[in-house]
């Protein structure tokens, strides 16, 4: 197969391939971006594989960075662009199911492509648009089949994370695992216990954000991979219920975590421990906690002015977007307008503060001050009193708060 036109990102990189070839080496575009071109999807990275060894690459290009030279990868800087160029290589045994014990550089493209994970990721592309397909990946691409290159048992023992990548591709691309590949994942699912949570987290979230999340989740459960993911061992049925929700793609990682937590029926007090097991950042945990709290409120009734104020506009809209998974049409415009109409958006906008409270009262400083400000804050938000200092002081005295 030959492409009539390469995307602009590849066109800009052709001089890099030409320079390698003029020096007597082979060079090709490789990786997931080649697959994405064939699927008419946006590409993100331009990866190049070559028969040139790392030191030979560095002699050809004046500006390089050793980003993974022990594995044959050199970052080449050309004008405003940068390209990862990797030497053809073969890999030895994998004692830890993650990294090869030894990498050997070779001059053969076929030997290099043999170590790729799936046939649809094992293409090489020449600068003239010619596709090199040694493992019938084009047929699998056309039939929406996800098949391991060669023996799936070997591929998953080399890097057990490939099992999660396969499930992620089921969700992202809408492809189906080829039977032998699926059986190998189920047979070797326990190897995920050898993989760092951080690496699993990346693939898991990409799966949850995929356009075919339902199929991804079902495959995740059917292959038993969920058992070796943090906090999910006892939640197979809950994950299948999750897969029965609307297949509308989720928009953000925080929403994905929030909807998962809802489907697992975790308590709000359990969220932090659960997400810490997944090695999520404190910022992500805080955002998810806020969305879950808002979702619990919203599932009972429309968010009140006070709810919107406490959640903030961004979290309120994210909560409302999730209502599509509970059979409701999200009222995004209404929520946005209701938030915009709030008298104040934060405590800083309140017409009184601690200093003014002390000046108005004969009481000594104490906890009563924060209680009074919170009481005034809520009253303003709920429209019980105008946000004016004199009216707020009168309101507080009426209610025996000041």
């Amino acid at each position: 197969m030959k492409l009539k036109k390469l995307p602009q990102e590849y066109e800009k990189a052709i001089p890099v391939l030409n320079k390698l070839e003029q020096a007597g080496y082979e060079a090709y575009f490789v990786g997931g971006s080649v697959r994405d071109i064939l699927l008419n999807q946006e590409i993100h990275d331009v990866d190049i594989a070559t028969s040139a060894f790392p030191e030979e690459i560095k002699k050809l290009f004046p500006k390089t960075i050793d980003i993974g030279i022990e594995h044959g990868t050199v970052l080449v800087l050309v004008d405003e662009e940068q390209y990862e160029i990797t030497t053809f290589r073969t890999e030895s045994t994998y004692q830890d199911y993650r990294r090869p014990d030894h990498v050997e550089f070779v001059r053969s493209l076929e030997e290099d492509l043999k170590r790729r994970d799936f046939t649809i990721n094992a293409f090489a592309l020449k600068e003239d648009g010619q596709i090199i397909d040694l493992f019938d990946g084009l047929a699998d691409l056309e039939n929406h089949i996800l098949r391991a290159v060669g023996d799936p048992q070997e591929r998953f023992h080399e890097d057990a994370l490939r099992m999660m990548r396969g499930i992620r591709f089921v969700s992202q691309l809408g492809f189906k695992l080829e039977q032998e590949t699926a059986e190998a994942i189920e047979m070797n699912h326990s190897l995920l216990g050898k993989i760092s949570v951080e690496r699993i987290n990346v693939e898991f979230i990409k799966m949850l954000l995929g356009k075919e999340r339902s199929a991804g989740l079902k495959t995740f459960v059917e292959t038993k991979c969920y058992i070796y993911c943090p906090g999910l061992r006892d939640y197979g049925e809950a994950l299948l219920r999750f897969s029965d929700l609307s297949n509308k793609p989720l928009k953000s990682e925080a929403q994905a975590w929030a909807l998962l937590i809802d489907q697992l029926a975790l308590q709000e007090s359990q969220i932090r421990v659960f997400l810490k097991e997944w090695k999520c950042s404190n910022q992500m945990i805080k955002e998810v906690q806020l969305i879950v709290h808002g979702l619990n409120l919203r599932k009972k009734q429309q968010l009140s002015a006070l709810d919107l104020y406490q959640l903030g506009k961004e979290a309120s809209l994210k909560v409302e977007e999730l209502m599509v998974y509970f059979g409701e049409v999200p009222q995004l415009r209404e929520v946005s307008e209701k938030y915009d109409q709030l008298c104040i958006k934060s405590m800083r906008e309140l017409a009184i503060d601690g200093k003014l409270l002390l000046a108005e009262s004969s009481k000594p400083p104490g906890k009563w001050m924060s209680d009074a400000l919170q009481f005034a804050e809520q009253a303003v938000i709920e429209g019980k009193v105008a946000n004016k200092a004199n009216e707020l002081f009168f309101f507080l005295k009426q209610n025996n708060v000041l």
Side-chain angles (χ1 to χ4, degrees):
M1 178 180 178
K2 191 171 184 178
L3 301 178
K4 293 180 180 178
K5 183 173 176 56
L6 297 181
Q8 184 181 4
E9 294 90 342
Y10 275 30
E11 292 278 1
K12 290 170 70 174
I14 286 177
V16 177
L17 266 65
N18 288 341
K19 192 165 188 176
L20 286 161
E21 290 169 339
Q22 287 163 8
Y25 305 110
E26 293 180 52
Y28 306 89
F29 296 117
V30 295
S33 60
V34 180
R35 175 202 68 229
D36 291 338
I37 291 171
L38 295 169
L39 291 172
N40 295 315
Q41 295 184 356
E42 182 182 355
I43 66 172
H44 302 285
D45 301 305
V46 177
D47 294 324
I48 296 169
T50 179
S51 60
F53 286 9
E55 290 304 321
E56 294 168 335
I57 297 170
K58 292 172 69 173
K59 286 179 182 178
L60 286 175
F61 298 94
K63 295 181 179 179
T64 65
I65 301 173
D66 296 351
I67 60 169
I69 198 164
E70 70 278 8
H71 296 114
T73 302
V74 176
L75 187 69
V76 171
L77 311 178
V78 180
D79 298 326
E80 301 295 320
E81 305 297 329
Q82 53 186 37
Y83 303 102
E84 286 190 12
I85 302 181
T86 303
T87 301
F88 299 157
R89 68 191 193 191
T90 60
E91 296 169 346
S92 63
T93 55
Y94 290 66
Q95 294 297 330
D96 61 3
Y97 306 98
R98 292 174 293 172
R99 295 178 296 267
D101 300 328
H102 174 69
V103 171
E104 182 178 347
F105 303 139
V106 296
R107 302 290 187 184
S108 166
L109 173 65
E110 182 175 359
E111 287 299 313
D112 182 79
L113 295 180
K114 278 182 181 177
R115 66 179 182 81
R116 306 284 168 165
D117 51 8
F118 301 102
T119 61
I120 63 169
N121 294 332
F123 300 118
L125 174 64
K126 294 178 67 69
E127 69 270 26
D128 64 359
Q130 185 66 45
I131 297 284
I132 297 173
D133 175 22
L134 304 179
F135 306 101
D136 295 325
L138 288 171
D140 287 339
L141 206 63
E142 184 176 352
N143 294 318
H144 291 189
I145 295 294
L146 199 62
R147 185 192 312 271
V149 173
D151 182 351
Q153 299 279 350
E154 290 182 16
R155 296 294 82 77
F156 300 142
H157 275 76
E158 289 167 353
D159 184 352
L161 188 68
R162 287 171 170 170
M163 296 186 289
M164 284 297 295
R165 278 171 56 81
I167 296 169
R168 183 248 289 186
F169 284 130
V170 169
S171 176
Q172 283 187 324
L173 303 177
F175 283 23
K176 185 176 181 179
L177 286 174
E178 175 266 335
Q179 184 175 348
E180 188 179 352
T181 302
E183 289 173 354
I185 293 177
E186 183 175 355
M187 190 178 301
N188 294 285
H189 69 273
S190 63
L191 295 181
L192 284 177
K194 310 284 186 180
I195 302 299
S196 72
V197 173
E198 290 87 348
R199 295 181 75 205
I200 295 175
N201 180 318
V202 171
E203 301 299 331
F204 182 66
I205 285 299
K206 287 180 179 179
M207 179 194 74
L208 291 184
L209 295 177
K211 65 180 182 180
E212 296 293 339
R213 179 185 62 255
S214 177
L217 279 166
K218 286 175 181 175
T219 305
F220 183 54
V221 174
E222 288 166 359
T223 57
K224 299 183 174 61
C225 284
Y226 76 97
I227 294 174
Y228 282 86
C229 290
L232 297 182
R233 175 178 289 272
D234 299 324
Y235 289 99
E237 290 185 10
L239 290 167
L240 289 176
R241 287 197 299 273
F242 188 3
S243 73
D244 289 336
L245 297 183
S246 163
N247 216 24
K248 183 179 176 63
L250 286 152
K251 292 185 177 181
S252 73
E253 179 180 346
Q255 287 173 307
W257 284 120
L259 192 57
L260 171 66
I261 286 164
D262 176 85
Q263 294 303 295
L264 299 183
L266 298 184
Q267 299 297 312
E268 290 186 37
S269 59
Q270 297 174 293
I271 295 174
R272 183 171 184 80
V273 172
F274 177 72
L275 293 182
K276 273 296 183 184
E277 284 189 75
W278 276 97
K279 305 296 183 183
C280 291
S281 68
N282 288 330
Q283 181 179 347
M284 178 57 63
I285 292 172
K286 185 177 179 181
E287 184 178 358
V288 173
Q289 286 175 319
L290 196 62
I291 293 174
V292 171
H293 176 67
L295 185 60
N296 288 336
L297 296 172
R298 177 63 181 85
K299 284 164 65 179
K300 298 174 184 175
Q301 60 188 29
Q302 297 288 333
L303 295 174
S304 67
L306 184 60
D307 294 333
L308 295 174
Y309 175 82
Q310 292 174 338
L311 291 170
K313 187 172 187 177
E314 183 179 352
S316 296
L317 289 172
K318 286 183 176 179
V319 167
E320 192 64 28
E321 285 173 340
L322 290 177
M323 293 312 296
V324 71
Y325 302 104
F326 301 93
E328 293 191 31
V329 177
Q331 307 294 315
L332 298 176
R333 183 174 58 82
E334 292 82 349
V335 167
S336 183
E337 289 177 354
K338 190 173 180 181
Y339 180 85
D340 290 340
Q341 290 166 6
L342 292 176
C343 296
I344 60 173
K345 306 296 193 303
S346 73
M347 179 72 86
R348 292 189 300 273
E349 297 179 17
L350 196 64
I352 61 174
D353 58 20
K355 187 180 292 186
L356 291 174
L357 276 180
L358 285 176
E360 186 71 19
S361 171
S362 58
K363 297 180 182 179
K367 184 179 179 299
W368 68 269
M369 296 170 62
S370 62
D371 292 340
L373 290 173
Q374 288 175 13
F375 190 80
E377 175 188 41
Q378 182 170 339
V380 168
I381 293 163
E382 293 176 342
K384 295 178 180 177
V385 61
N387 187 31
K388 296 179 180 179
N390 58 336
E391 294 190 34
L392 284 168
F393 287 136
F394 180 73
F395 178 80
L396 291 175
K397 288 173 182 175
Q398 267 192 323
N399 287 274
N400 299 315
V401 179
L402 183 62

